[in-house]
């Protein structure tokens, strides 16, 4: 009887140790994801701001169209993880449409911000099992900032030239009408385990 209780405690101890190890690994993967998002967002912002200052929003559309996916692809190659941007109202449906898991997380991000969380702090991580394997998945909200409004803001903040260019490049554009502090979308990371 006594030994059963002892071995039970030993088993529980082992389970707790495994959980702690798992927690540490999970936290490490969250930290690594945060760094990768910071690198991606920082580089896109830097290139976008440079082009906005240099030649204005119409020409900067090309930074968002070409440079941003290139930066994401370079980081994906370097890390071996899938790194991209998604939105519930994508401008480019081919690139920016969220999968089922991402849709749920993005809807939750909107709810969290409505409830008062600061959009710049909103993130989510989970280990998921999918038909093709297990993945660590992470998303970080991209808040609408003043810098975004010339291309994603309400109609009155978009110039006629920007509207024309967007209509030509993105006939299915849904990514306008945003106000500062809303969630424009998220960087999403999918890392095979
Ligand atoms: C100069 C115009 C411009 C500015 C400024 C701009 N964007 Fe965009 N954004 C675009 C274009 C164009 C796309 C579509 C890119 C593509 O073809 O994949 C886009 C796509 C995105 C996407 C990918 C999902 C989607 O809708 O297709 C996110 C997320 C995004 N922008 C967030 C932001 C945020 C946040 C800011 C401000 C920090 C910002 N953008 C500023 C033009 C702009």
């Amino acid at each position: 009887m006594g030994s059963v209780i002892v071995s039970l405690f030993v088993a529980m101890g082992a389970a707790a140790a495994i959980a702690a190890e798992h927690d540490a690994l999970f936290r490490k993967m969250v930290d690594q994801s945060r760094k990768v998002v910071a690198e991606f967002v920082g580089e896109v912002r830097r290139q976008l701001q440079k082009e906005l200052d240099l030649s204005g929003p119409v020409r900067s559309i090309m930074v968002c169209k070409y440079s941003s996916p290139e930066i994401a692809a370079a980081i994906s190659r370097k890390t071996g993880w899938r790194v991209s941007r998604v939105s519930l109202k994508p401008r480019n449906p081919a690139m920016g449409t969220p999968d089922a898991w991402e849709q749920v997380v993005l809807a939750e991000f909107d709810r969290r911000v409505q409830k008062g969380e600061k959009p710049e702090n909103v993130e989510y991580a989970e280990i998921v099992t999918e038909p093709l394997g297990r993945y660590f998945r992470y998303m970080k909200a991209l808040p609408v900032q003043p810098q975004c409004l010339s291309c994603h803001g309400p109609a009155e903040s978009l110039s006629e030239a920007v509207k024309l260019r967007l209509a030509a490049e993105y006939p299915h554009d849904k990514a306008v009408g945003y106000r500062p502090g809303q969630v424009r979308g998220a960087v999403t990371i999918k890392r095979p385990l």
Side-chain angles (χ1 to χ4, degrees):
M1 174 75 189
S3 71
V4 170
I5 290 174
V6 168
S7 54
L8 210 90
F9 273 117
V10 170
M12 278 170 66
I18 289 168
E21 203 175 286
H22 172 268
D23 275 2
L25 191 65
F26 188 78
R27 274 202 303 277
K28 189 172 158 205
M29 290 192 285
V30 169
D31 272 352
Q32 290 169 333
S33 303
R34 285 180 181 148
K35 289 203 184 91
V36 162
V37 169
E39 182 187 344
F40 177 38
V41 172
E43 185 55 23
V44 172
R45 289 235 171 98
R46 203 183 57 73
Q47 294 199 13
L48 184 60
Q49 195 58 55
K50 195 170 132 209
E51 198 61 32
L52 283 169
D53 293 343
L54 223 68
S55 39
V58 178
R59 305 246 341 241
S60 305
I61 288 172
M62 292 302 130
V63 171
C64 298
K65 183 164 184 160
Y66 298 110
S67 308
S68 176
E70 268 169 27
I71 297 164
I75 294 178
S76 295
R77 278 194 302 274
K78 192 172 79 179
T79 54
W81 315 339
R82 201 200 73 195
V83 180
S84 59
R85 298 189 304 178
V86 288
S87 171
L88 289 175
K89 294 200 303 172
R91 170 151 289 162
N92 182 348
M95 300 283 296
T97 300
D99 68 14
W101 184 85
E102 289 163 336
Q103 278 175 35
V104 172
V105 176
L106 282 168
E108 189 56 29
F109 281 4
D110 282 341
R111 263 194 296 279
R112 285 167 59 180
V113 169
Q114 270 161 23
K115 278 193 193 150
E117 255 183 82
K118 286 209 169 74
E120 57 271 27
N121 298 337
V122 171
E123 61 180 351
Y124 182 70
E126 189 183 333
I127 289 172
V128 299
T129 305
E130 295 180 7
L132 292 180
R134 281 175 84 234
Y135 299 90
F136 171 81
R137 302 199 65 173
Y138 173 85
M139 281 172 76
K140 174 100 173 59
L142 291 168
V144 178
Q145 299 172 314
Q147 190 199 29
C148 321
L149 296 180
S150 56
C151 296
H152 294 296
E156 63 271 20
S157 62
L158 275 68
S159 72
E160 285 312 311
V162 165
K163 281 183 196 161
L164 278 173
R165 177 59 73 87
L166 289 177
E169 300 272 351
Y170 302 100
H172 307 292
D173 186 14
K174 290 193 197 145
V176 289
Y178 285 93
R179 302 198 179 270
Q182 286 185 310
V183 175
R184 172 63 263 278
V187 177
T188 178
I189 291 180
K190 190 169 178 181
R191 174 175 176 176
L193 295 176

